[in-house]
Structures are given as structure tokens and as C-alpha cells.
Amino acid sequence: DARVTQTPRHKVTEMGQEVTMRCQPILGHNTVFWYRQTMMQGLELLAYFRNRAPLDDSGMPKDRFSAEMPDATLATLKIQPSEPRDSAVYFCASGDLRDGDVVFTDTQYFGPGTRLTVL
Amino acid sequence: KNEVEQSPQNLTAQEGEFITINCSYSVGISALHWLQQHPGGGIVSLFMLSSGKKKHGRLIATINIQEKHSSLHITASHPRDSAVYICAGQSNTGNQFYFGTGTSLTVIP
């Protein structure tokens, strides 16, 4: 049963520390998304990759956040330095994007999320 | 004003009732997504649609492009349908999602 996995599931850290969240997309999917969910803002799209290349990261605070896909089986979201306002649940999702198309041909498959608390 | 508005915010129904959740949007979109978030936090993508209607089991999603409106219907509701339902419009360029604030559904046995 293919699914998106995320690690860690929970992370508590102190302000100023570096946080790295990892996501393993479903094998064969060519698009990976990073979302953040807070009570105040709801769901927000931070960034997404297609075929490992960043397609858009305009939703991501550039000064402290970075997202990468070292290979097709791993996506990372890093916060350095972390701040209390970064406390949220971070979801990764994967899906398929057709060549030359911006509309997804399939639904997105969400991981279980990483609940981050920055003290 | 949010680009995507959902109604109602909260909904309580008796098991077996027919449920409708509405989503209106004010921006141009290429597709609209319906997501279900379970009480434990997990998110499931239910539908992606750009026109017409889609059906999956007891769930039906419709979209009216001219009226910029989408609905999610649940027939014969069941307590396990209790969740937050979120609609999200995908921008015409594909690189932005406009999320509604969610509808919290509770189905009582």
C-alpha cells in the first residue's frame, strides 16, 4: 500500500535551532508539495517540486526556510534558525503533473505530517 | 476577504442525513480540490475537479465555473464522515492554492 511518509512525526525544539523535516514521496510520483497548517492561517502551500526541481517556492519565507530534493525518494524542508511562529504541522504530499501542464492529473497523497513546536 | 469561502463553518448531522458543504471562490482557478482532514490530523485528497461532477462512493463533488461555486455532498452520512472538509482553488498558473478555512462536520449516531 503506497503512501507518503514523513519524519519526524513530532519535533520540539528551542528557538534558534535548526530543524530538518523529511518526506518520502510515493514511488513514481513526479511532484512533491510542502504545506504548513496553523490554527491562525489554515493550510498554506510553501513549495513544490517537479522531477526534483523546485517549481515554485513563493509561499516560503526565504530567509530561514529551504526545501530540497536530494533524490527522487527524499524531500527535505529545513528551517534555520527556527522561531516560535514556525510552530505548525508541516505536511508533505506527492502527486503527478503531466508534461507541459499545470493542472494535476491525479489527487495529491498527503503524508501524516510533522508537528513542530518551537519554544 | 478570503479568495475562497466555505459554508457552513460547523455542521452537525444525524447519521443517514444528506449533507452539503459549499465553497465559493473569487479568483480565477484551473481546478478545485476537496480535502478531508480527520480528527487525528491526517489529510486525504478527495477530489480534484475543473468542471462538472465527480462521484466516489457516497461522496459527490460538483463545480459551476460560471458561478465560481463548488459543493461537496455526502449521502447517507455516517459517524466516520466526521472530519474537517477543506476546499482549495488552484490558481490558473498552477503555483498557488487558495484554501478555505474548512467545514467541521460531526455526524451523530
Side-chain angles (χ1 to χ4, degrees), chain B residues 50-69:
Chain B
S50 52
S51 66
K53 180 169 83 171
K54 285 190 176 180
K55 184 175 189 292
H56 185 250
R58 296 180 295 105
L59 301 177
I60 304 167
T62 64
I63 188 167
N64 185 317
I65 301 295
Q66 287 74 27
E67 294 184 6
K68 294 189 173 181
H69 181 267

Side-chain angles (χ1 to χ4, degrees), chain A residues 43-109:
Chain A
L43 264 172
E44 303 171 274
L45 176 65
L46 297 177
Y48 70 99
F49 291 76
R50 179 188 167 204
N51 295 326
R52 296 178 53 202
L55 210 57
D56 191 274
D57 60 1
S58 57
M60 202 165 65
K62 297 291 192 302
D63 55 340
R64 298 181 299 106
F65 284 62
S66 62
E68 295 178 345
M69 277 201 76
D71 61 62
T73 64
L74 177 66
T76 62
L77 180 65
K78 190 175 295 186
I79 309 174
Q80 166 65 14
S82 58
E83 296 181 3
R85 60 182 166 148
D86 301 329
S87 298
V89 180
Y90 291 81
F91 289 99
C92 171
S94 71
D96 269 325
L97 185 69
R98 288 186 303 212
D99 284 342
D101 201 354
V102 296
V103 178
F104 301 99
T105 58
D106 200 351
T107 55
Q108 297 179 44
Y109 295 82

